[in-house]
Amino acid sequence: MEKLKQEQNNSDCMGKQPGHNDEAGPSLKMIGIGKSFPGVRALNNVDFSLRCGEIHALMGENGAGKSTLIKVLTGVHPMDEGRVYLEGNPVLVRSPQDAQRYGISTVYQELNLCPNLTVAENLFLGREPLKRCLIDWKRMNDEAECLLKELNILAEPTAQLDSYSIAIQQMIAIARAVNTECKYLILDEPTSSLDADEVQRLFDLMRRLKKNKVGIIFITHFIEQVYEICDRITVLRNGELVGEYEIENLPRFELVKKMMGKEIEVLSDLSVHKDESSSESEVPVLEACNLSSGASKVAPFNLKIYKGEVVGFSGLLGSGRSELVRTIYGADKAVEGQQFIKGESVTIKRTLDAMKHGMAYLPEDRKAEGILSELSVRENIIIALQAKRGIFKRLSRKEMEKYADEYIKLLDIKTASKETPIKSLSGGNQQKVILARWLLTNPEFMILDEPTRGIDVGTKTEIQKLILKLAEEGKSVAFISSELDEMLRTCSRIVVMRDRQKVGELTDSDLNQETIMRTIAGGEQ
């Protein structure tokens, strides 16, 4: 009976054959979706469609609106405007329970499973088969075994979940979603923690689901994976729909342009700053040889940074930019390769080691990893210097106040006083406080990850000028930004990342938008 029901669902889903690429017609349609949060228009008149038996990539940079669109579809956020249709019928998805009832399931990057339970228990959690009001363990294990065999997942129903790799757990999460009569499966960054072989096993499972007429929304930042597995691509940017494309009609280079919102043009007003004194004959301030970390899965890379250089790191979100610099700084532990500071081999096992070797690191997420929100501006400014000096060389209150006053004035930090809680400051002024914190340690090498994101134009310009001033004073800077214009104004050399690999270094005449985007896209013409 269940099989007959599934065949009927598949038959209904196929619909009429119009005789072109849209074989099944849109089974799921979202029309004119709008969603606002206080002060933010997250989605503006966005359309999206999904066919039965297709794998559809949802692409866009950070803040594009992908997560919000998915949360609207799955009932996490109510939409302000728009309509949702399933198989031609209007539906209201007001909660995740509604979504599940309509056959919409999501597998998130962070797996929502219970590692201390068995595979079968995870597959049937909350839906355990009963016999005389008790769990029918034999039936549950037998049904789990059938499901695993059907999807070719190499796992034993009675084995504890955490005895398997993340890749197998990911597939078990998908099997659980499919087993709830899922017609529409959303995979949110499912390959972010998988190696190449594990990715291929996951893709095999996705292809099997596709043959069974399951529509799959695939959210990823890996361009090569999109072109390997997907049928269509929808691109969002700044909460708006850029377009929906058949995969064969959108070259990689065009995809990068649409995601980044950059048209190819000559930017004659941009000046590239380069320290002419640095040369290959000099000893680099920092050198990495075949360096890689286990946590970030960045491919082994080589890198040299010289005195007075501003070296940019470019690539789409998820390309490995942040992971590479975190490995250099010891925020992600290196598992292979070597590092050299001024020609001498060093071992950096933790961030304090990096600080003692003259490094500073301004992280991408200032709220989660940068500011200490409950502490004052003064305490946030002096904390790195105090950590570097150690617990037995405490700064006096007089020293703390002197340093705080000095850097509040130097960076023009807008605050009522140095004792104001940092959480009361604007985003731009919080960023200046973090910069002050690291400048106070007098570093020779600074890593600045998106230092101008989410701040006003005036403060952004001030920070760009400060970066160039630091380079003129002989400090070396690793600079990450999603804005190509900003990178070109500031950097003397740009390292390009794609799919967690370093794929190029650009200097001189190659420092232009077109070359950067072509390198990101894989050298496509």
Side-chain angles (χ1 to χ4, degrees):
M1 189 72 184
E2 191 65 28
K3 184 176 179 183
L4 183 63
K5 183 179 176 184
Q6 181 62 45
E7 288 174 354
Q8 180 65 44
N9 284 339
N10 291 343
S11 174
D12 292 344
C13 194
M14 285 296 292
K16 295 181 181 179
Q17 304 294 324
H20 64 285
N21 252 354
D22 193 358
E23 288 185 349
S27 179
L28 180 153
K29 290 183 74 172
M30 305 177 76
I31 298 176
I33 304 299
K35 179 64 185 175
S36 296
F37 299 100
V40 178
R41 181 69 170 168
L43 293 172
N44 184 33
N45 194 32
V46 172
D47 295 345
F48 179 81
S49 67
L50 179 68
R51 303 167 186 160
C52 286
E54 80 160 342
I55 302 174
H56 193 138
L58 183 58
M59 304 287 286
E61 283 282 72
N62 191 30
K66 305 186 301 294
S67 296
T68 305
L69 186 67
I70 293 307
K71 287 177 179 176
V72 166
L73 177 59
T74 55
V76 176
H77 291 325
M79 58 187 170
D80 298 332
E81 304 102 28
R83 291 159 290 163
V84 176
Y85 294 88
L86 297 179
E87 299 179 10
N89 301 311
V91 297
L92 286 175
V93 186
R94 292 167 291 194
S95 69
Q97 290 74 26
D98 283 346
Q100 188 167 342
R101 191 166 61 252
Y102 288 125
I104 303 169
S105 293
T106 307
V107 177
Y108 293 101
Q109 181 179 354
E110 299 296 329
L111 294 176
N112 188 22
L113 298 174
C114 301
N116 59 318
L117 300 182
T118 68
V119 171
E121 287 173 312
N122 273 280
L123 287 172
F124 290 94
L125 194 63
R127 303 178 296 110
E128 297 89 347
L130 301 177
K131 184 177 182 181
R132 296 174 185 172
C133 299
L134 297 174
I135 295 175
D136 188 340
W137 293 100
K138 184 178 185 306
R139 181 182 162 197
M140 184 171 74
N141 289 331
D142 288 346
E143 290 185 9
E145 186 174 8
C146 288
L147 179 62
L148 294 168
K149 281 183 178 177
E150 181 185 346
L151 298 176
N152 197 26
I153 298 172
L154 303 177
E156 290 295 326
T158 55
Q160 191 162 303
L161 182 71
D162 62 6
S163 65
Y164 290 106
S165 68
I166 293 295
I168 296 295
Q169 292 184 39
Q170 190 85 257
M171 293 179 191
I172 289 167
I174 293 171
R176 176 181 166 179
V178 171
N179 197 44
T180 59
E181 298 185 5
C182 164
K183 297 179 184 178
Y184 315 100
L185 178 63
I186 302 163
L187 300 180
D188 186 3
E189 294 286 357
T191 63
S192 60
S193 57
L194 307 185
D195 63 29
D197 290 338
E198 291 170 335
V199 168
Q200 289 308 313
R201 286 199 290 274
L202 175 64
F203 283 179
D204 287 343
L205 175 56
M206 290 169 66
R207 291 184 181 105
R208 278 193 293 276
L209 295 174
K210 176 181 173 178
K211 285 182 180 178
N212 290 337
K213 302 302 178 187
V214 175
I216 300 174
I217 301 174
F218 182 45
I219 302 173
T220 184
H221 295 297
F222 295 111
I223 293 178
E224 294 303 322
Q225 293 178 7
V226 167
Y227 282 86
E228 180 178 350
I229 194 72
C230 295
D231 303 299
R232 287 194 297 157
I233 301 173
T234 289
V235 181
L236 302 182
R237 188 174 68 244
N238 298 329
E240 298 189 347
L241 175 67
V242 176
E244 182 183 273
Y245 312 92
E246 299 292 335
I247 195 84
E248 63 270 16
N249 296 334
L250 185 65
R252 290 164 175 77
F253 179 46
E254 290 298 318
L255 171 60
V256 172
K257 280 200 329 184
K258 292 180 187 304
M259 288 174 64
M260 301 182 81
K262 300 292 181 183
E263 295 299 326
I264 299 303
E265 56 188 13
V266 178
L267 299 173
S268 56
D269 58 324
L270 296 180
S271 56
V272 176
H273 299 266
K274 185 173 182 178
D275 182 3
E276 299 297 338
S277 64
S278 67
S279 70
E280 291 297 321
S281 62
E282 284 184 15
V283 176
V285 170
L286 179 135
E287 182 176 3
C289 298
N290 293 315
L291 199 66
S292 181
S293 80
S296 60
K297 295 187 180 294
V298 172
F301 62 89
N302 296 311
L303 181 68
K304 292 180 181 179
I305 298 180
Y306 294 90
K307 182 178 180 179
E309 269 198 311
V310 180
V311 178
F313 292 81
S314 185
L316 299 177
L317 191 71
S319 62
R321 303 171 305 180
S322 298
E323 290 82 356
L324 185 147
V325 296
R326 285 176 63 86
T327 303
I328 290 172
Y329 190 68
D332 291 340
K333 186 178 178 181
V335 293
E336 60 178 300
Q338 283 184 290
Q339 283 199 78
F340 299 87
I341 303 290
K342 295 182 179 177
E344 293 187 8
S345 178
V346 298
T347 300
I348 297 176
K349 294 183 178 179
R350 52 186 183 153
T351 56
L352 189 57
D353 294 336
M355 288 172 59
K356 289 179 177 176
H357 284 296
M359 295 191 203
Y361 172 51
L362 189 148
E364 179 181 16
D365 189 341
R366 66 171 171 262
K367 291 195 181 297
E369 298 182 307
I371 66 168
L372 299 167
S373 60
E374 299 304 317
L375 299 186
S376 67
V377 170
R378 169 183 58 82
E379 290 166 320
N380 270 274
I381 288 175
I382 62 90
I383 196 163
L385 179 60
Q386 182 63 75
K388 188 176 180 180
R389 287 178 57 161
I391 195 170
F392 298 111
K393 295 182 181 179
R394 293 179 63 85
L395 291 164
S396 68
R397 179 63 180 247
K398 186 176 180 181
E399 287 176 305
M400 293 181 191
E401 292 181 348
K402 174 193 165 194
Y403 289 137
D405 287 337
E406 179 183 340
Y407 279 90
I408 288 171
K409 183 177 180 181
L410 178 68
L411 298 181
D412 192 25
I413 298 169
K414 302 293 191 298
T415 177
S417 83
K418 55 181 170 286
E419 302 305 325
T420 300
I422 192 171
K423 64 183 178 184
S424 302
L425 273 58
S426 68
N429 283 296
Q430 289 178 1
Q431 199 74 301
K432 287 184 180 181
V433 170
I434 303 171
L435 276 168
R437 173 193 300 168
W438 291 114
L439 291 174
L440 183 56
T441 66
N442 193 28
E444 293 187 68
F445 175 55
M446 296 189 73
I447 299 169
L448 306 179
D449 192 349
E450 296 283 8
T452 63
R453 176 186 287 167
I455 60 180
D456 62 85
V457 175
T459 306
K460 184 176 292 192
T461 303
E462 288 178 42
I463 290 175
Q464 291 173 13
K465 288 179 179 176
L466 176 61
I467 292 169
L468 295 174
K469 184 172 181 291
L470 292 172
E472 288 172 6
E473 293 172 355
K475 297 188 186 300
S476 304
V477 180
F479 179 46
I480 296 176
S481 173
S482 298
E483 298 184 28
L484 291 186
D485 293 0
E486 182 174 55
M487 297 278 278
L488 290 167
R489 273 195 295 273
T490 313
C491 301
S492 56
R493 181 157 49 103
I494 292 180
V495 172
V496 180
M497 302 289 295
R498 183 178 69 249
D499 296 347
R500 292 183 182 167
Q501 294 185 61
K502 178 187 168 189
V503 294
E505 278 193 35
L506 307 177
T507 58
D508 303 325
S509 61
D510 288 331
L511 283 177
N512 57 71
Q513 286 193 24
E514 180 173 2
T515 306
I516 292 170
M517 289 195 288
R518 289 202 189 282
T519 307
I520 291 172
E524 210 177 56
Q525 296 302 312

